[in-house]
Amino acid sequence: QLEIIEEVKTAVKNNEKITFLIQGSPGSGKTLLAIHLLINSLALNKTTLLGYRNNRLINSLRNIFDNIDSGLSSAIKFYSVGPRRGSNGIAEKNFSSTTPLDLIIYDEAQRMTKENIEFAMQRANVQVFFFDEKQILNVDEEGTFNNFRSIANKLSLNIKEKYLNGYYRIAGGKSYHDWLENKISPSKNNNYNLSWRKLYDFQIFNSFDDFLSALKSKTTDNRVALLASFTESPGNSKNI
């Protein structure tokens, strides 16, 4: 992470034109690193933006930034808002800036369309795409490594590829994560070490009311902490 921060800072300081493609597995610190890059670049008085598509996440970050310094949240913008809202996100055709910025960081870039990617790659001298293509993507989400690289090559951009390893802050570590992913998207690979299983209470519910009742039964003072839950898409029969 520190090496990436230094490489991006150097590129911004030297007015280089570089596209960083940074893959990161769950828990690898992509969002934290994106925020560090934003703060470091702003401290250099460089024109900098941090882009998201996730409405809840961007609102949370804006509140945190404004509590630090009023107006600081203006550096955090949507990279895609859609045609109904004017298609004026950073990675859309109607974005207001006509000259390239010094740095734009795109977090959760796996949610981009190919059109988003092409627009995004022309918005700044230095651009950083954080993505995890192993996440389950919707039909219109095309932020895969192959798409990033092919579009960057089409635009004759200088590419640097990086990979961040994940740190699994859960009992069972990667084995638990892989097992849970297989429950959501079954595959033939099911050779997991299940020694952690006794540390978890794993149940499948057919209704949300049953789910809440089970949570409440685990406590005597009406305080419940939900660690993780997953809901399968409509048409599938189970809530996890």
Side-chain angles (χ1 to χ4, degrees):
Q1 291 180 0
L2 292 175
E3 289 175 0
I4 289 173
I5 289 174
E6 288 305 313
E7 284 193 44
V8 174
K9 281 177 62 178
T10 299
V12 172
K13 283 180 179 179
N14 296 337
N15 298 314
E16 299 177 44
K17 294 186 177 181
I18 300 178
T19 297
F20 290 87
L21 303 179
I22 305 176
Q23 295 189 67
S25 51
S28 59
K30 297 186 295 297
T31 296
L32 181 61
L33 189 50
I35 293 170
H36 273 292
L37 290 175
L38 174 65
I39 293 171
N40 274 275
S41 184
L42 290 174
L44 296 171
N45 293 317
K46 298 293 186 177
T47 53
T48 311
L49 294 176
L50 171 58
Y52 285 96
R53 184 178 178 181
N54 186 307
N55 185 58
R56 292 181 180 177
L57 179 56
I58 198 171
N59 286 335
S60 296
L61 287 175
R62 281 175 170 172
N63 286 335
I64 292 170
F65 272 60
D66 276 338
N67 285 332
I68 296 171
D69 186 4
S70 179
L72 187 58
S73 67
S74 62
I76 305 174
K77 297 186 179 297
F78 287 97
Y79 64 68
S80 177
V81 296
R84 287 188 298 177
R85 297 188 178 182
S87 297
N88 57 4
I90 304 172
E92 293 179 300
K93 61 182 179 181
N94 293 331
F95 181 60
S96 58
S97 178
T98 57
T99 57
L101 280 70
D102 295 312
L103 171 65
I104 301 181
I105 307 131
Y106 301 95
D107 198 9
E108 297 190 333
Q110 70 273 3
R111 304 298 176 193
M112 287 183 164
T113 64
K114 288 181 182 178
E115 184 180 70
N116 288 153
I117 296 170
E118 186 158 354
F119 279 124
M121 288 185 170
Q122 301 174 72
R123 298 295 191 226
N125 293 325
V126 179
Q127 49 230 343
V128 182
F129 294 86
F130 288 102
F131 64 101
D132 178 9
E133 66 176 26
K134 292 182 180 179
Q135 289 192 24
I136 299 172
L137 302 180
N138 295 324
V139 175
D140 64 334
E141 295 173 342
E142 302 171 303
T144 65
F145 175 72
N146 286 337
N147 285 338
F148 284 118
R149 184 168 58 180
S150 64
I151 293 171
N153 288 336
K154 171 187 169 183
L155 297 172
S156 300
L157 300 178
N158 180 16
I159 305 170
K160 282 195 174 183
E161 302 167 9
K162 304 288 182 180
Y163 188 85
L164 294 168
N165 290 316
Y167 298 91
Y168 298 89
R169 300 180 294 272
I170 50 175
K174 188 175 186 299
S175 178
Y176 168 81
H177 177 269
D178 290 345
W179 172 83
L180 187 56
E181 287 285 349
N182 189 59
K183 285 293 180 185
I184 299 171
S185 300
S187 68
K188 294 181 180 179
N189 180 20
N190 56 6
N191 298 318
Y192 304 117
N193 177 1
L194 301 180
S195 60
W196 47 265
R197 187 69 182 266
K198 62 181 179 296
L199 301 174
Y200 290 89
D201 182 2
F202 180 85
Q203 298 183 48
I204 298 176
F205 303 95
N206 291 319
S207 77
F208 196 75
D209 287 339
D210 291 343
F211 173 57
L212 288 177
S213 295
L215 284 178
K216 290 177 181 178
S217 70
K218 299 296 179 183
T219 180
T220 58
D221 57 6
N222 293 320
R223 291 186 298 176
V224 176
L226 174 62
L227 298 182
S229 69
F230 302 85
T231 304
E232 292 192 2
S233 60
N236 293 328
S237 60
K238 296 175 181 177
N239 292 325
I240 302 177

